[in-house]
Amino acid sequence: MNLYGVYGASGFGREVMPLLRAQVANDPEALCVFVDDSGAEDTVNGHRCLTFDQFVGLPAENRAVTLAIADGCIREKLADKCEAAGVRFIELRARNCMVLDETHVAEGLILCGFATITANASIGRHFHGNIYSYVAHDCVIGDFVTFAPGVKCNGNVHVEDHAYIGTGAILRQGKPGKPLIIGAGAIVGMGAVVTKDVPPGVTVVGNPARPLVRD
Ligand code: UDP
């Protein structure tokens, strides 16, 4: 048996399972399950839902997961746990996504329906490109970065590790040698229009995007 797990059985995980199923449809030995440590459900959308320990304990010739949890810090923790247990990662690309020329993608990619990565981009580990998001030419995306639905990341933008870009945000195009930079761990709020660099760890919102002032 080839055992494939969608790690995370909440909202995003349930969106990702059909991508996994489609991708392994020609493998008669494939079994697709959810992996979720909450132990809350035995089955989700018709698939068994196992804890990580149960997943690792099932006899299988091959065992791989996709980390389908939007929080990049949780993804990193789970990636370390999977590696320590000898669990591999499966990359998922929706049938109608596009990845164009000379783009390098590290392990663990999830590229959802209608998402696009254009030319000469570099994508770090366990990137999520949710539905209708895009990464344009010459962008450099770090590790454990999350693009929510409809993110428009124009050319020559660098998005550092663990940044989260909210639904419908627009990142202004940078220039060759002078990219627009979204710092590590930064959060870009939904619908924000980012026209200049965002420092690490800062949350920005609005048009033009500015740091969020909390009351
Ligand atoms: N989860 C888990 N192990 C962890 C952290 C989270 O199994 O170490 C599961 C958690 O039980 C939940 C899912 O991951 O079912 C995360 O769901 P959430 O709604 O927070 O994220 P989303 O689906 O929106 O990415």
Side-chain angles (χ1 to χ4, degrees):
M1 178 177 58
N2 297 318
L3 184 58
Y4 297 107
V6 171
Y7 210 141
S10 186
F12 189 57
R14 284 182 285 115
E15 294 178 331
V16 164
M17 178 58 88
L19 307 185
L20 171 62
R21 225 170 33 232
Q23 203 161 297
V24 302
N26 293 328
D27 176 0
E29 300 295 317
L31 176 67
C32 299
V33 300
F34 285 102
V35 182
D36 198 290
D37 298 306
S38 70
E41 315 266 7
D42 291 333
T43 61
V44 173
N45 288 356
H47 291 269
R48 288 174 70 186
C49 188
L50 307 175
T51 64
F52 184 73
D53 291 341
Q54 290 168 331
F55 179 77
V56 171
L58 270 191
E61 265 169 55
N62 295 295
R63 198 184 314 272
V65 293
T66 179
L67 302 177
I69 296 172
D71 184 317
C73 292
I74 295 180
R75 289 210 296 286
E76 180 165 32
K77 190 187 76 173
L78 295 179
D80 291 347
K81 184 165 85 167
C82 289
E83 271 167 19
V87 174
R88 292 181 308 106
F89 301 111
I90 181 168
E91 173 181 297
L92 296 184
R93 299 185 186 205
R95 282 194 178 134
N96 59 6
C97 78
M98 284 200 291
V99 178
L100 304 183
D101 290 348
E102 303 293 337
T103 278
H104 175 262
V105 174
E107 68 180 359
L109 172 75
I110 301 178
L111 207 53
C112 297
F114 303 98
T116 299
I117 303 172
T118 73
N120 304 95
S122 170
I123 309 291
R125 297 171 63 216
H126 297 279
F127 173 66
H128 285 185
N130 210 315
I131 49 174
Y132 294 101
S133 62
Y134 69 77
V135 177
H137 64 87
D138 301 303
C139 286
V140 178
I141 307 295
D143 294 336
F144 304 101
V145 169
T146 306
F147 277 17
V151 167
K152 298 177 187 344
C153 178
N154 293 303
N156 284 301
V157 172
H158 290 190
V159 182
E160 295 179 348
D161 297 351
H162 294 108
Y164 180 92
I165 316 298
T167 299
I170 301 174
L171 310 183
R172 181 186 195 165
Q173 179 160 326
K175 296 194 174 82
K178 195 174 184 325
L180 181 96
I181 298 174
I182 309 294
I187 297 174
V188 175
M190 64 176 85
V193 178
V194 179
T195 56
K196 50 187 188 186
D197 292 356
V198 177
V202 167
T203 297
V204 296
V205 294
N207 177 10
R210 295 201 170 91
L212 179 65
V213 179
R214 295 180 201 275
D215 301 329

